[in-house]
């Protein structure tokens, strides 16, 4: 193994350690109260080294969110390959997201706010790290190809709107809470998106 490869592996291990320590500190002490200095000290690196890997504290959460998105994509691809109906897969992914957000309720608000960061570069980085709309687009593509989706909106736009709805409803639930569990709130929101809010003939 050459020296370059060794250095890269060392960097990967250091980043993984910093990430693992940071997430543990966030869960135990809270995201807002945990500082970059706390993470660096617990990771046995300097504060400057921490910022070499993560330019701001919220960037750690983007790695966490990216892991969640990868698991959701893997699940969706496997279920579609098995022949599971796309809408069933969409609800499964919705439920898994709700379960993750419920389990890590304190981590979701700062992660969601990062997607809406007023700094365009940071918001773009967050959007790329959390491609929920791409997972939704993957799930709905078979229905689009079969002519089962409306044609006045692109599949990408429909997927973006569904992903945006998840973000806002989950953020409100995480920050303020409701009488319903998040899973129920999200299923209600998804059903409303898919079926519409206007009362039609034969629908009560």
């Amino acid at each position: 193994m050459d020296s370059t490869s060794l250095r890269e592996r060392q960097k990967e291990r250091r980043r993984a350690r910093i990430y693992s320590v940071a997430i543990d500190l966030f869960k135990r002490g809270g995201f807002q109260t945990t500082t970059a200095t706390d993470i660096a000290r617990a990771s046995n690196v300097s504060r400057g080294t921490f910022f070499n890997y993560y330019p701001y504290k919220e960037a750690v959460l983007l790695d966490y969110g990216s892991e969640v998105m990868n698991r959701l994509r893997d699940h969706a691809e496997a279920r579609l390959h098995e022949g599971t109906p796309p809408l069933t897969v969409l609800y499964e992914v919705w439920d898994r997201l709700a379960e993750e957000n419920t389990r890590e309720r304190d981590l979701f608000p700062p992660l969601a706010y990062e997607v809406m960061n007023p700094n365009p570069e940071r918001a773009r980085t967050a959007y790329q790290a959390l491609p929920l709309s791409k997972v939704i687009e993957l799930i709905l593509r078979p229905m689009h190809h079969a002519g089962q989706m409306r044609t006045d909106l692109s599949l990408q736009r429909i997927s973006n709107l569904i992903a945006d709805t998840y973000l806002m409803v989950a953020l409100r639930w995480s920050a303020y809470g409701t009488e319903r569990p998040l899973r129920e709130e999200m299923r209600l929101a998804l059903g409303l998106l898919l079926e519409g809010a206007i009362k039609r003939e034969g629908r009560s």
Side-chain angles (χ1 to χ4, degrees):
M1 181 183 300
D2 60 38
S3 59
T4 301
S5 298
L6 179 60
R7 283 196 300 272
E8 289 302 317
R9 290 186 62 179
Q10 288 173 336
K11 288 174 63 177
E12 289 172 5
R13 286 196 294 268
R14 187 176 296 118
R15 181 185 179 94
R17 183 172 73 250
I18 294 171
Y19 168 76
S20 178
V21 167
I23 294 296
D24 183 59
L25 290 175
F26 294 158
K27 290 180 180 180
R28 289 194 288 113
F31 177 81
Q32 299 298 342
T33 59
T34 301
T35 66
T37 301
D38 294 332
I39 298 169
R41 185 181 299 118
S43 304
N44 296 316
V45 300
S46 69
R47 194 167 184 273
T49 297
F50 170 81
F51 286 118
N52 284 339
Y53 289 91
Y54 293 103
Y56 41 91
K57 189 175 67 169
E58 289 80 2
V60 178
L61 291 180
L62 298 186
D63 276 2
Y64 158 72
S66 183
E67 286 184 355
V68 173
M69 290 300 112
N70 287 337
R71 291 199 299 270
L72 293 177
R73 175 177 285 276
D74 289 345
H75 175 80
E77 288 178 339
R79 295 290 281 153
L80 290 171
H81 183 71
E82 292 169 1
T84 308
L87 287 183
T88 299
V89 178
L90 182 58
Y91 274 101
E92 288 176 357
V93 164
W94 220 239
D95 289 346
R96 283 174 174 241
L97 258 178
E99 289 166 8
E100 183 77 29
N101 290 167
T102 300
R103 197 164 48 243
E104 308 299 348
R105 184 169 183 162
D106 291 339
L107 297 184
F108 186 76
L111 183 60
Y113 286 132
E114 195 61 22
V115 178
M116 300 179 285
N117 195 296
N119 181 318
E121 187 58 37
R122 283 180 57 163
R124 183 163 47 250
T125 298
Y127 179 79
Q128 291 170 348
L130 307 169
L132 177 58
S133 64
K134 297 297 183 185
V135 177
I136 295 170
E137 189 174 341
L138 167 75
I139 295 169
L140 295 180
R141 190 170 294 123
M143 295 181 66
H144 180 70
H145 288 163
Q148 297 173 317
M149 305 289 295
R150 55 188 294 176
T151 57
D152 58 326
L153 295 173
S154 68
L155 178 58
Q156 181 182 29
R157 189 172 182 189
I158 292 171
S159 301
N160 284 338
L161 288 169
I162 294 174
D164 289 347
T165 299
Y166 183 92
L167 179 69
M168 296 309 299
V169 175
L171 179 57
R172 185 187 63 212
W173 182 89
S174 295
Y176 307 114
T178 68
E179 294 179 357
R180 292 189 186 90
L182 179 57
R183 182 177 182 274
E184 291 183 21
E185 286 285 348
M186 296 318 308
R187 280 186 161 250
L188 177 64
L190 182 57
L192 191 63
L193 277 172
L194 296 175
E195 298 173 20
I198 304 301
K199 185 175 179 180
R200 294 183 175 83
E201 192 88 17
R203 184 197 296 174
S204 59

